[in-house]
């Protein structure tokens, strides 16, 4: 097959119109192939975020359920995270300075 035979095959007006249409759709159109690939990646990233946040909601609901059922757990979290104390208690906070002395 030489170059002239290839040109004869592509000289058909339907093949030329199909090739032009394919080039326009793939590269030139507003919603071209690159735009579609970019949107597909965005959609997959959004799906990953949705899955992550659904898992986070599930975990937070479990913690909330546990907190509503167990007053000891609620007290422990209040003391550790929010530095709460009872009225008759004194809390001393001791910080470890070994990380700062490494110089």
């Amino acid at each position: 097959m030489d170059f002239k035979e290839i040109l004869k095959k592509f000289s058909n007006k339907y093949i030329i119109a199909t090739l032009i249409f394919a080039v326009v759709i793939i590269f030139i159109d507003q919603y071209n192939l690159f735009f579609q690939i970019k949107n597909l990646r965005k959609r997959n990233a959004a799906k990953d975020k949705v899955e992550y946040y659904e898992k986070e909601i599930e975990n937070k609901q479990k913690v909330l359920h546990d907190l509503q059922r167990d007053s000891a757990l609620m007290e422990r979290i209040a003391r550790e995270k929010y530095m709460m104390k009872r009225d008759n208690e004194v809390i001393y906070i001791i910080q470890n300075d070994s990380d700062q002395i490494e110089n």
Side-chain angles (χ1 to χ4, degrees), residues 5-13 15-16 19:
E5 289 178 18
I6 294 173
L7 283 178
K8 284 182 184 179
K9 289 185 179 184
F10 285 113
S11 66
N12 186 346
K13 63 182 177 182
I15 293 177
I16 292 172
L19 289 176

Side-chain angles (χ1 to χ4, degrees), residues 25-42:
I25 293 298
I26 293 173
F27 298 109
I28 300 172
D29 189 38
Q30 178 183 3
Y31 301 108
N32 59 28
L33 183 65
F34 307 110
F35 180 79
Q36 296 296 331
I37 291 171
K38 185 174 77 171
N39 279 346
L40 183 65
R41 288 182 182 158
K42 283 182 183 179

Side-chain angles (χ1 to χ4, degrees), residues 40-57:
L40 183 65
R41 288 182 182 158
K42 283 182 183 179
R43 190 186 80 190
N44 290 337
K47 281 184 179 180
D48 292 342
K49 281 185 181 180
V50 166
E51 288 176 10
Y52 169 76
Y53 285 120
E54 284 176 348
K55 288 178 185 176
E56 284 295 313
I57 288 171

Side-chain angles (χ1 to χ4, degrees), residues 33-86:
L33 183 65
F34 307 110
F35 180 79
Q36 296 296 331
I37 291 171
K38 185 174 77 171
N39 279 346
L40 183 65
R41 288 182 182 158
K42 283 182 183 179
R43 190 186 80 190
N44 290 337
K47 281 184 179 180
D48 292 342
K49 281 185 181 180
V50 166
E51 288 176 10
Y52 169 76
Y53 285 120
E54 284 176 348
K55 288 178 185 176
E56 284 295 313
I57 288 171
E58 194 174 298
N59 290 339
K60 298 299 179 188
Q61 285 177 342
K62 182 183 179 297
V63 169
L64 179 63
H65 181 264
D66 291 345
L67 283 173
Q68 290 173 343
R69 301 287 180 220
D70 190 4
S71 62
L73 176 65
M74 184 173 19
E75 183 177 344
R76 187 189 68 159
I77 289 177
R79 288 173 177 266
E80 290 175 1
K81 287 189 177 182
Y82 303 108
M83 299 297 185
M84 297 179 118
K85 64 178 187 78
R86 291 188 179 140

